[in-house]
Amino acid sequence: MKKILLSLAVVATLSLASCGNKNADKATTTTEQEVAVEQGDKYTVNLTDSNVTWKVGHKGGLNPRFGTLTLSAGDIAIDANGLNAGSYTVDMASLQVDRASVDADEDIQKLGGHLKSPDFFDVEKNPTVDFKITKVEDFDAAKHTSKIEGANKIVSGNLTILGKTVNITFPAKVTVENGKAVMDASFVADRTEWGLVFGTTDKDSGAALNPADWAISKDMEIGIHLVADKVN
């Protein structure tokens, strides 16, 4: 029973939000797209200063759990128009649960291990999550909206989780100054599009076969703070 209650409370990703989060944008998705060709100067992602945050809860936004992930590699390209291409890799073994998101008597190490198990991310078989930029457009306030203050770009990229690639689009704030580029974004996506469910799934529909999955929100929130330094 304790394991069932634990499982009902969590599932996470990429960077992975409770339904209706006021601080995250709703991402749109489509099929895998051609990766953008790098143009201009190359910037290498600073693995120490960059990070990914995740958040998810029960349906209705109840009992959210959240934490962090670290990057293991990444680079982006910047030309006169700004960000135009790049990629980064998330180290799934780095998944951490924030103590503030759980009850005082809950074992966060056990919870983190459960998320890394075959019930969710199966980190042993899928050690990374990968994102590759496919398109970058300027943010147009006349047709775009964002909860990210200062959002100036619309970024699309192929996001691969559990070996499945889905193209995802979200607003971002990208700044470039003194040889340093910074990208910030926070968006919500449907975890089931990547087959990210509790336990096994139906081969035809992709739906979770474990009834406990119904209580977990399909919404996952991914926060990205990417810092990159120009390669001289």
Side-chain angles (χ1 to χ4, degrees):
M1 176 62 72
K2 186 175 181 180
K3 183 176 181 180
I4 292 176
L5 291 175
L6 177 67
S7 300
L8 285 172
V10 295
V11 67
T13 166
L14 86 225
S15 205
L16 308 165
S18 55
C19 183
N21 190 290
K22 296 181 179 180
N23 299 313
D25 295 307
K26 184 68 175 179
T28 59
T29 57
T30 187
T31 56
E32 182 176 359
Q33 303 294 305
E34 184 177 351
V35 175
V37 177
E38 294 186 0
Q39 301 180 56
D41 297 320
K42 183 175 182 177
Y43 285 63
T44 298
V45 171
N46 185 315
L47 302 181
T48 300
D49 294 343
S50 302
N51 66 75
V52 173
T53 59
W54 60 266
K55 183 178 181 182
V56 75
H58 286 95
K59 288 183 176 177
L62 301 175
N63 298 323
R65 299 293 191 263
F66 49 86
T68 60
L69 291 152
T70 61
L71 303 182
S72 60
D75 63 74
I76 59 174
I78 304 288
D79 63 9
N81 295 315
L83 176 69
N84 61 76
S87 65
Y88 64 81
T89 300
V90 180
D91 176 12
M92 293 307 296
S94 72
L95 188 151
Q96 296 289 325
V97 179
D98 193 315
R99 164 54 67 188
S101 73
V102 300
D103 296 333
D105 61 348
E106 192 167 350
D107 187 340
I108 61 173
Q109 298 301 321
K110 185 176 181 180
L111 176 56
H114 186 45
L115 291 172
K116 296 174 187 177
S117 78
D119 280 339
F120 293 105
F121 286 103
D122 200 0
V123 172
E124 185 174 345
K125 293 183 178 179
N126 302 278
T128 64
V129 162
D130 299 300
F131 181 78
K132 298 179 180 180
I133 293 175
T134 57
K135 186 178 183 180
V136 181
E137 299 178 284
D138 288 334
F139 183 93
D140 183 350
K143 60 180 181 180
H144 300 134
T145 61
S146 177
K147 296 172 183 177
I148 300 296
E149 185 176 355
N152 56 4
K153 297 292 181 181
I154 299 294
V155 179
S156 299
N158 293 330
L159 179 61
T160 302
I161 303 174
L162 295 177
K164 182 175 181 179
T165 301
V166 175
N167 191 266
I168 188 165
T169 298
F170 53 86
K173 178 182 179 181
V174 181
T175 59
V176 183
E177 187 176 6
N178 298 325
K180 186 180 294 293
V182 179
M183 181 177 81
D184 286 297
S186 183
F187 57 85
V188 175
D190 181 347
R191 61 182 172 83
T192 65
E193 291 197 50
W194 288 268
L196 186 58
V197 298
F198 174 32
T200 57
T201 62
D202 181 273
K203 292 182 180 180
D204 295 323
S205 67
L209 296 178
N210 190 323
D213 188 74
W214 75 269
I216 305 171
S217 173
K218 289 184 177 181
D219 285 344
M220 61 181 184
E221 180 180 323
I222 302 172
I224 302 170
H225 178 63
L226 198 70
V227 179
D229 299 309
K230 186 177 180 180
V231 177
N232 295 321

